[in-house]
Amino acid sequence: MKPMTNNLCAATAIGLILATVSCSDSSDGGNAIIIPGAPAVEVKIGSQMPLWQNGTFEIHSISTGRGESNFYIFPDGTSMLIDAAGSLVTEEICTKKGVGTVTPARPGWHISSADIIANYIKHFNPRGENVDYYLNSHTHEDHMGSWPEKYEEYADFPKHTEGNFYMNGIAKLGTLLNFTKIIDRGYTLPINMGTDDRIKDYQRFLKWSMDTKGLIYEVAKPGHDDQIVMRYNPSAYPDFKIRILCASGYAWTGNGYDTKRTIPTSKTEISKASPDENIFSVALMMDFGKFNLFTAGDLQWEATSSAPWLNADEGIIPVVNKVEVMKASHHGSTNANSEELVNKLCPQTVWINPWRSEQPGIPCMRRFVAANPDVSFFTTGIVESSKAPLAEVENNFKSWSGHIVIRVFPDGKYYVYVLDDSDESYIVKSIHGPYISE
């Protein structure tokens, strides 16, 4: 369904929240949220983005240019960060290796991605530096941080004096924020990754966090809707739920908490196929009444006649339904977001976190448009040369750069706000919506 574009939308009662809306799909307008006893908050172009208010569900895609980092505030104020962009690959490195280029670092290389993410969360999170959940979708550097020894000639990275881990990605972020629980896909499947230097460094960070901060560590449980839950007032929002669809080669069957194994049992067979880490990403479905959201890290498909199980999308296609919003898997790369999966999800709105010059890929974008010609695309940033190949779907792109904020109301209506990422003032650049959940 297309977003409404009238300049003045009628006031609508939404439970305890009344939304008086003046809206536009491009460059002007806004909306006011009124809660009894609280002042009205109006979103305006050129002004700082107002903070979350009780009863709304917010999704924040934080622009760093160094990978993915997406922050969620549940209707009761529970918070969750998925991934901690920490790539150290620069244009200089890409030029030296002859491998294209990367999206511009935002606001620049003078500040680490961990500091950008921490500052953003401290500003918008209702509990400041205290974050309830951190979910690591998979173990790639643009999602959790690099192994700095690979880049010693480009930068100097200190080690934590007590924990003996490099201060980069989630490891540094964990010293700037207080996470109650960290969940990841585990590192023993499909083969033991605990011998990898980068994973060892991550494990040292986890141990330090558990010993000194009381951190709770868990491995993601596919099929479960009781692992990531609201912590402060869940009874007030019974229609909010998060279910883990897949992780590490296991997928939910749709029956209770039952799962099925989607990878071979033979380690020899797995090693022979050389699976990409991406196919073991954690995927989630989030529901808030009529509103539904899908996110799946870098889940991708590598379907071949010799190893069809490399098509990781296949495991979850039977259990997903239409959604309003989704994060494009694997930065919108050509080998992600298969036709079968996209047709099943058929999103209204897709946000993309490009990282390399080949992202997003036009074949992937074509699949989204074929499923829904009115789909709206938003990216946190893009390599300028990457725009030309996307010309045929250019009208579907509503914004090419900036932090992306999606604010969802209890009746399923939602807006998309794009914030300036050239500094840390969080000024609203554009407002899009309202979009209506079906």
Side-chain angles (χ1 to χ4, degrees), residues 157-275:
F157 290 89
K159 278 193 170 183
H160 191 272
T161 54
E162 297 177 6
N164 195 35
F165 52 83
Y166 280 108
M167 296 284 280
N168 180 53
I170 178 55
K172 181 176 182 180
L173 192 59
T175 68
L176 302 174
L177 300 174
N178 301 316
F179 294 105
T180 300
K181 180 181 291 187
I182 286 184
I183 301 170
D184 62 31
R185 76 165 198 81
Y187 31 79
T188 57
L189 285 173
I191 55 178
N192 187 0
M193 298 174 60
T195 58
D196 182 274
D197 285 335
R198 187 158 51 86
I199 301 303
K200 286 181 179 179
D201 200 60
Y202 171 62
Q203 290 173 317
R204 286 192 288 270
F205 156 70
L206 288 177
K207 183 180 187 304
W208 172 82
S209 298
M210 289 186 281
D211 290 346
T212 65
K213 289 192 168 188
L215 174 79
I216 300 169
Y217 168 73
E218 293 180 356
V219 174
K221 302 174 182 177
H224 280 253
D225 60 3
D226 59 355
Q227 189 172 23
I228 302 172
V229 297
M230 290 184 289
R231 301 185 64 229
Y232 303 109
N233 193 12
S235 62
Y237 308 100
D239 58 354
F240 182 85
K241 179 175 65 177
I242 296 178
R243 187 181 295 274
I244 300 173
L245 300 178
C246 67
S248 291
Y250 286 86
W252 183 43
T253 65
N255 180 30
Y257 294 154
D258 292 345
T259 61
K260 59 185 177 184
R261 186 177 175 117
T262 58
I263 60 175
T265 56
S266 167
K267 291 183 179 180
T268 300
E269 185 177 351
I270 293 172
S271 297
K272 183 179 179 181
S274 298

Side-chain angles (χ1 to χ4, degrees), residues 13 103 139 183 207 209 223 229 284 290 293 344 353 415 429 434:
T103 52
T139 64
I183 301 170
K207 183 180 187 304
S209 298
V229 297
L284 305 176
K290 296 179 181 178
L293 180 148
K344 195 84 179 290
N353 304 114
Y415 290 82
K429 294 200 305 181

Side-chain angles (χ1 to χ4, degrees), residues 119-407:
N119 292 344
Y120 188 102
I121 289 175
K122 289 176 183 178
H123 177 83
F124 284 103
N125 186 25
R127 288 176 174 78
E129 64 186 16
N130 299 311
V131 180
D132 298 295
Y133 300 97
Y134 172 74
L135 173 66
N136 215 93
S137 68
H138 64 297
T139 64
H140 276 161
E141 61 188 27
D142 52 317
H143 294 259
M144 68 176 290
S146 299
W147 175 243
E149 288 186 359
K150 291 172 58 179
Y151 306 97
E152 283 183 335
E153 64 181 293
Y154 298 96
D156 178 29
F157 290 89
K159 278 193 170 183
H160 191 272
T161 54
E162 297 177 6
N164 195 35
F165 52 83
Y166 280 108
M167 296 284 280
N168 180 53
I170 178 55
K172 181 176 182 180
L173 192 59
T175 68
L176 302 174
L177 300 174
N178 301 316
F179 294 105
T180 300
K181 180 181 291 187
I182 286 184
I183 301 170
D184 62 31
R185 76 165 198 81
Y187 31 79
T188 57
L189 285 173
I191 55 178
N192 187 0
M193 298 174 60
T195 58
D196 182 274
D197 285 335
R198 187 158 51 86
I199 301 303
K200 286 181 179 179
D201 200 60
Y202 171 62
Q203 290 173 317
R204 286 192 288 270
F205 156 70
L206 288 177
K207 183 180 187 304
W208 172 82
S209 298
M210 289 186 281
D211 290 346
T212 65
K213 289 192 168 188
L215 174 79
I216 300 169
Y217 168 73
E218 293 180 356
V219 174
K221 302 174 182 177
H224 280 253
D225 60 3
D226 59 355
Q227 189 172 23
I228 302 172
V229 297
M230 290 184 289
R231 301 185 64 229
Y232 303 109
N233 193 12
S235 62
Y237 308 100
D239 58 354
F240 182 85
K241 179 175 65 177
I242 296 178
R243 187 181 295 274
I244 300 173
L245 300 178
C246 67
S248 291
Y250 286 86
W252 183 43
T253 65
N255 180 30
Y257 294 154
D258 292 345
T259 61
K260 59 185 177 184
R261 186 177 175 117
T262 58
I263 60 175
T265 56
S266 167
K267 291 183 179 180
T268 300
E269 185 177 351
I270 293 172
S271 297
K272 183 179 179 181
S274 298
D276 193 293
E277 162 67 12
N278 290 340
I279 74 169
F280 305 111
S281 293
V282 180
L284 305 176
M285 184 72 78
M286 305 185 189
D287 302 323
F288 182 33
K290 296 179 181 178
F291 177 86
N292 310 105
L293 180 148
F294 173 83
T295 179
D298 277 2
L299 202 70
Q300 67 183 43
W301 51 282
E302 301 177 32
T304 65
S305 58
S306 61
W309 57 269
L310 292 174
N311 184 349
D313 286 355
E314 285 292 323
I316 59 174
I317 288 173
V319 297
V320 299
N321 297 302
K322 189 181 185 311
V323 299
E324 277 64 47
V325 173
M326 71 174 283
K327 182 191 75 67
S329 301
H330 196 200
H331 320 276
S333 295
T334 295
N335 64 346
N337 311 285
S338 64
E339 180 180 2
E340 294 82 1
L341 181 64
V342 169
N343 286 343
K344 195 84 179 290
L345 293 168
C346 193
Q348 293 176 338
T349 300
V350 178
W351 90 83
I352 312 162
N353 304 114
W355 176 53
R356 305 295 295 271
S357 52
E358 64 268 24
Q359 300 163 349
I362 184 60
C364 177
M365 298 298 98
R366 285 172 180 155
R367 292 192 286 272
F368 281 118
V369 173
N372 179 4
D374 296 320
V375 64
S376 295
F377 296 135
F378 297 86
T379 73
T380 48
I382 193 168
V383 175
E384 195 62 29
S385 62
S386 301
K387 291 183 180 179
L390 300 168
E392 68 182 79
V393 294
E394 183 178 3
N395 290 339
N396 294 91
F397 279 88
K398 308 305 179 185
S399 176
W400 293 103
S401 65
H403 306 295
I404 301 165
V405 181
I406 303 172
R407 175 173 284 167

